[in-house]
Amino acid sequence: MFIMNLEKRAFLYLTRKKGKNLLLAIVFLLISFSLLTGSSVYLGIQHISKDLRSNIGASFSIRPYEQFDMDNGQVSSKGTPTIDEQSIQRVISAVGKELKCYNTEHSGYVKGENLTFLAGAGHNEESNMGTVKAVRDSSLCQNFLDEEYELIVGEHIRPEDKDKILISEALAKQNHLSVGDRITLTHAKLGSDKGVYTDLIKEKSAYETVEIKGIYQIKNNSDNALNPTAKKVENLLSQIVSCL
């Protein structure tokens, strides 16, 4: 009986103030519609954002920096840590499936048998060396991504390659080299002796013969005239393995 009275009173209240109740109903309807629309838009933006992150080619870099230690007020270098394969796999696991590909880079200096590098500041026989960059996939190197370098002959270095190398067009012309030619490289270390550039590794213990897979053109050469031979951009060699 109480329920019937309550329903009757509610009905009478609603019918007595039709205008006010209609307005409230419209307000509640608009609020509900706005909440539903906002929720749909939010979910749509999340979906679009996820698609963009996976499609626009966004990238990030991880670089090791020199570590320092302080003991009794004296600062000493602990060296620069190396990013090993285990570290790379941890990053891949953390990022997940959104990581489509990755590249690694490691640089050093090399000399070549019967290979003349483009002369830089203070060039001499001892400083006749270039920079070698060991990579996993040369097409993912920043210079190529930024279109500062352009591969004009041959193909890029890929992870499945072995003992392959890229060289600049200028270095290829100076040494009359082409794709498919083989050159022998050995390790080197750029240093200075009384203001003269020199190779600090006097005795060579490692040699490797590599094949030229591609030749690239430098479209944006911002080389400094004061750079020694080893640091001239034309003397950069990209290699698939770090062997020297």
Side-chain angles (χ1 to χ4, degrees), residues 151-171:
L151 192 69
I152 55 175
V153 183
E155 299 177 349
H156 273 290
I157 293 172
R158 303 300 181 186
E160 61 272 13
D161 287 329
K162 183 178 179 181
D163 299 334
K164 305 293 185 181
I165 204 165
L166 299 185
I167 66 173
S168 71
E169 180 185 29
L171 186 60

Side-chain angles (χ1 to χ4, degrees), residues 69-124:
D69 195 11
M70 181 172 286
D71 185 19
N72 296 325
Q74 299 294 321
V75 179
S76 59
S77 174
K78 297 171 62 178
T80 302
T82 301
I83 300 178
D84 55 19
E85 184 64 27
Q86 186 177 4
S87 301
I88 294 172
Q89 293 305 319
R90 284 203 298 267
V91 173
I92 294 174
S93 298
V95 176
K97 295 181 179 180
E98 291 186 1
L99 183 64
K100 301 300 182 183
C101 53
Y102 71 94
N103 187 38
T104 56
E105 297 184 7
H106 182 73
S107 298
Y109 297 111
V110 291
K111 283 186 171 180
E113 291 185 355
N114 303 317
L115 186 63
T116 302
F117 290 93
L118 278 78
H123 180 79
N124 58 66

Side-chain angles (χ1 to χ4, degrees), residues 101-223:
C101 53
Y102 71 94
N103 187 38
T104 56
E105 297 184 7
H106 182 73
S107 298
Y109 297 111
V110 291
K111 283 186 171 180
E113 291 185 355
N114 303 317
L115 186 63
T116 302
F117 290 93
L118 278 78
H123 180 79
N124 58 66
E125 185 177 352
E126 276 288 303
S127 67
N128 179 42
M129 64 180 76
T131 298
V132 62
K133 182 181 292 184
V135 301
R136 185 174 182 272
D137 187 335
S138 60
S139 67
L140 298 177
C141 291
Q142 199 62 48
N143 296 112
F144 287 104
L145 293 177
D146 292 342
E147 299 183 350
E148 295 176 355
Y149 296 175
E150 180 184 3
L151 192 69
I152 55 175
V153 183
E155 299 177 349
H156 273 290
I157 293 172
R158 303 300 181 186
E160 61 272 13
D161 287 329
K162 183 178 179 181
D163 299 334
K164 305 293 185 181
I165 204 165
L166 299 185
I167 66 173
S168 71
E169 180 185 29
L171 186 60
K173 286 183 177 180
Q174 175 149 307
N175 291 273
H176 307 290
L177 296 171
S178 57
V179 171
D181 288 346
R182 302 177 70 84
I183 55 178
T184 300
L185 303 175
T186 186
H187 52 173
K189 185 175 181 179
L190 180 65
S192 178
D193 183 11
K194 297 179 181 180
V196 178
Y197 290 118
T198 187
D199 182 4
L200 298 180
I201 302 178
K202 303 302 181 183
E203 296 184 6
K204 306 301 180 183
S205 58
Y207 293 87
E208 181 167 357
T209 300
V210 294
E211 180 183 335
I212 299 174
K213 188 180 181 184
I215 297 174
Y216 64 89
Q217 181 184 66
I218 302 173
K219 298 172 66 177
N220 181 18
N221 190 342
S222 57
D223 198 11

